[in-house]
Amino acid sequence: MRLHQLQVRAFGPYPRQESVDFDALGADGLFLLHGDTGAGKTTLLDAVAFALFGTVPGARGEAKRLRCDYAEPEVSTEVRLEFTVQGHRLLVVRSPEYERAKRGGAGTTTQRAKASLTWLGSPPSGHAPDGLARIDEVNRTVARLLGMTAEQFFQVVLLPQGDFARFLRAETAERERLLEKLFGTQRFAEVEQWFRTARTERGRVVEDIRLQVRELLARVAQAAGEELPGGEQAADLDWLATLHARLSGAVVDAEKEDRLAKEDRARADTELAYRRELAERIRRVTAALGTLAELDNQAAARAAVAEELSAARRCQPVLSANTAVTAAETELGTACRAERAARDQLTGLLPAELDAEVARLRDLAGALREEAGGLRRLVAEAELQHTDLPRLDELAARELRAGQLVDRLTARLADLPQRLTAANAHRDAAMSAAGRVDGLRGQVADLRALCADAARLPAAQQAAASTSVELSAAVDAHQQARDVLLTARQRRLDGMAAELAGALTSEQPCPVCGSQSHPVPAVAALESVGDAEERTAATAEQAAHADRERATLAKADAQHGLDGLVERLAGRAAEQLADELAAADAELGRLSELAATAQASTELVHELEAEADDLRGRRGTAERDTAAIAAERTSLAGVVAERAERLTAARGEYPDVAARRQHLLTQFAGLDKLAQARSARQEVEERLGRLRTALVDAAADAGFRDPAEALLAARTATVVEGLDQQLVDADRREAAARAVLAEPELVGVRIDAEVDVPGAELLVESSRERAELANAVLVAGQRRVAEVTELAAKLTKAWQRLRPAEARYAELVALTDVVNGRGQNNHQMSLRSYVLAARLEEVADSATRRLRRMSQGRFSFVHSAAGGPRGTRGGLGLDVLDDYSGRVRPAKTLSGGESFLASLALALGLADVVAAETGGALLDTLFIDEGFGTLDADTLDLVMDTLDELRTGGRVVGLVSHVEELRQRIPVRLRVRRARTGSTLQVVSAMAA
């Protein structure tokens, strides 16, 4: 894969569109990306990752804040990346999800993420030439062409040195997590999990069978009523057979006892039935004879009851006639009182009219009703007159109020034009001020920032001068220390022969020529230097070099800060900037106050315009209402006057027509009521005479001398029913007793014979208890045999299933332990760890080739499969072999520069292995982020040689660093400049720098 061009807009710290031409930057195969801390160097690498995968590495991707905070609201966030992969050139455009201001109204809305892919040449087979516009389709296509996931890309192309330094020093668990992401060993983890799940499920099945066996054993013992002999382990098929035979024999004995008990019970039941029957016959004969004797003694009393009952029944017609007479007398009294009440309620009539016959009363009432009916229509007109008179007054008042409203609305309309003109003028001025406030506010902010820069300028000039002096002194000190080191090394080389001669012994070969004779061994000169003096000089030179590097960085930072201040001030003095700021602040305050009234002014104009429209509409409505009210009042006045004349003639001497009509209706109702009451009284008197004659006749017909005698013989229905029931009961008892004595089985029964029924009952109870006990024993034994037989069959099947299940489970447990790094696994490594260990060994071999070159053959990576402390699993150990000492040392003991070399070699080796593992596209573009500041000049030379090897074959390598020496070594650079309004990009050359 080769990158060609990158464009970012409103992304990270870049508020406007910035472009990176990787073809121009990578023409020499190596370029430097540098700039201030926090300017946005790493953001460019994030933009490449986001364009390809829609995400960025590490914590920055978790934050999901990709939009530039300095960008204008109308500028959309977008990343465009043009690159070539597997022979196809394509353009990917992405926009992240972010909050933007609503285009209409206040507040914000969510801008959805977007992605598109355009083929800049012929597309791969199976792809449409129009490209892709869905995020998921773009993600799948890019991942398939690159042949790696986003996590692999971040580690293979964007080499983060800090991450690999942590990987180098990490514990086994942390290193395992990173390798899993890179090499996709999830399928091996799934195999391990499959075995663990299968073991758990198979163990659950075995345990279920074991539990079933235990439950069946317990149920068999419970059903048989016995304890397990020697526990569950001693129970077997022989025990089941013996148990079944013993239970079957007990059932045979129980069947014999049950048969004998049933025979004894049958004999006892027969004897008891015979004795009970004989005792019942004696009891019935005795009872019948007693009943007949009692009835003979009550014969006279029964005759008197019969006579009383006959008289009570004969007087019933007399009682009915007497009831009718009494009711008629009561009704007559009521009718007389009603007639007197009706006569007393009538007033204004003559006594002759009140005492007239019924027909005359009804004629008088009819005449009054007809007269009242003629007044009904005039009563309705009188009620309408009472409503219309107040209505006339109300219409007059409404006419007056409507005219006054027309006058008020006309006066208000005359004042509005002047107020509307003034409001429009103020609104225009406020809106003009509002349009200028934002620009002036930005100008004030820039002036404040420039005033602060002007205040910092003297200190920056002093710091630049001071760091220049410190750098000059540090350069001189480093040069002197380097001269001392070179002199010491030269002197040691000159005295190396004497040093070797000092170690010679007789008859031992010389390490240089191999001779065992040493005729003229060299002698050390006075100015010779040993190893200790050389190491002391080297340490001093390294310290002086570090001081020089720090002074160089301090000088560059101070000069960069001073250049930035001078550039931003552009020759303006602090006093001039203060005056400009004061004027701008005053103007901003005036315009802000005026702009704050824009909304209120606009609302006032709208209110005045709406008020004018409302007043004109209301005045027209009021004028129409006035005319309508006047017309209605005139019409109603004529109708009221004409109706008043008719009502005055009709009421006569009464207050109004309704009072006169009500008087007539009252007199009519009273006469009609009196006629009805008088007619009802006359009818009751006639009926009462007829009923009294019928009462006398009824008494004679019933055989009584007069009605009084008949009334004395009367009895209530309850008494009559009781007398009749006494006679019926006596007759029934006599018939029943004689019927009993006539029964054939009772003829000849002696009532003085004795029968022993209780003795027979005791014998029956004893035989019943024996039979029930024998039957219960038999049923329990049969049920126990059946239940044991059924459970024994189930237990036998469970035993047959348990043995092979336990064997298969034991085999699976052993295999699962091996796959998961336990049991018979000698390395104590899981399958996944074993695969990762193999990959790590490949990474260590690839990284060792580069590390030995960069460390001049001193360091090599050593992969270890040994387990860690406290039972930690092995397989992912990574140490360093130090050729100087010949010992393997932990990576944690490396110095800062050595750690950088090791982590860089590890990153490059890992990139090679991951690329080969994924089978992905050839990676022609790499980025290496930071870490060069820890290297001395000689080591930096070796690292640069390694990077030169990386760019062979057309590969492009981009270094991200702020180390000053790299700017002088790498001619093509991409500089990121930081400002208050955001960052910008600039391509510079070594001469421009």
Side-chain angles (χ1 to χ4, degrees), residues 96-168:
E97 179 180 292
Y98 61 91
E99 293 292 321
R100 63 168 177 80
K102 292 183 177 179
R103 295 187 174 89
T108 62
T109 185
T110 300
Q111 178 68 42
R112 296 288 185 86
K114 296 185 294 185
S116 65
L117 184 151
T118 304
W119 304 105
L120 302 181
S122 58
S125 60
H127 287 273
D130 297 336
L132 305 173
R134 288 177 47 183
I135 295 178
D136 56 343
E137 293 178 346
V138 173
N139 291 344
R140 286 196 299 270
T141 302
V142 171
R144 184 181 59 79
L145 291 174
L146 290 177
M148 61 181 67
T149 64
E151 188 68 32
Q152 291 171 329
F153 181 85
F154 298 156
Q155 299 292 341
V156 170
V157 178
L158 312 179
L159 304 181
Q161 295 308 304
D163 288 351
F164 278 96
R166 286 193 297 272
F167 176 80
L168 191 65

Side-chain angles (χ1 to χ4, degrees), residues 223-243:
E226 298 184 3
E227 294 291 336
L228 289 175
E232 298 177 0
Q233 303 299 325
D236 54 12
L237 294 176
D238 293 338
W239 171 75
L240 281 179
T242 302
L243 180 63

Side-chain angles (χ1 to χ4, degrees), residues 831-894:
L831 177 63
R832 178 179 48 179
S833 299
Y834 181 79
V835 174
L836 292 177
R839 295 293 183 270
L840 183 59
E841 186 174 9
E842 296 177 8
V843 171
D845 292 342
S846 178
T848 294
R849 290 191 293 271
R850 290 190 170 89
L851 180 59
R852 290 188 61 82
R853 179 176 180 82
M854 289 187 288
S855 63
Q856 293 182 315
R858 178 179 179 182
F859 295 114
S860 303
F861 283 113
V862 177
H863 169 250
S864 173
R870 296 183 298 277
T872 304
R873 296 182 183 179
L876 299 180
L878 192 63
D879 297 323
V880 176
L881 173 63
D882 189 343
D883 192 62
Y884 284 8
S885 64
R887 294 180 177 273
V888 175
R889 46 191 287 202
K892 297 179 181 179
T893 62
L894 297 176

Side-chain angles (χ1 to χ4, degrees), residues 910-921:
L910 188 59
D912 292 341
V913 174
V914 170
E917 169 72 16
T918 59

Side-chain angles (χ1 to χ4, degrees), residues 27-49:
D28 190 43
L30 188 66
F31 68 91
L32 177 67
L33 175 60
H34 69 99
D36 299 333
T37 300
K41 301 184 295 296
T42 306
T43 303
L44 294 177
L45 307 187
D46 291 344
V48 173

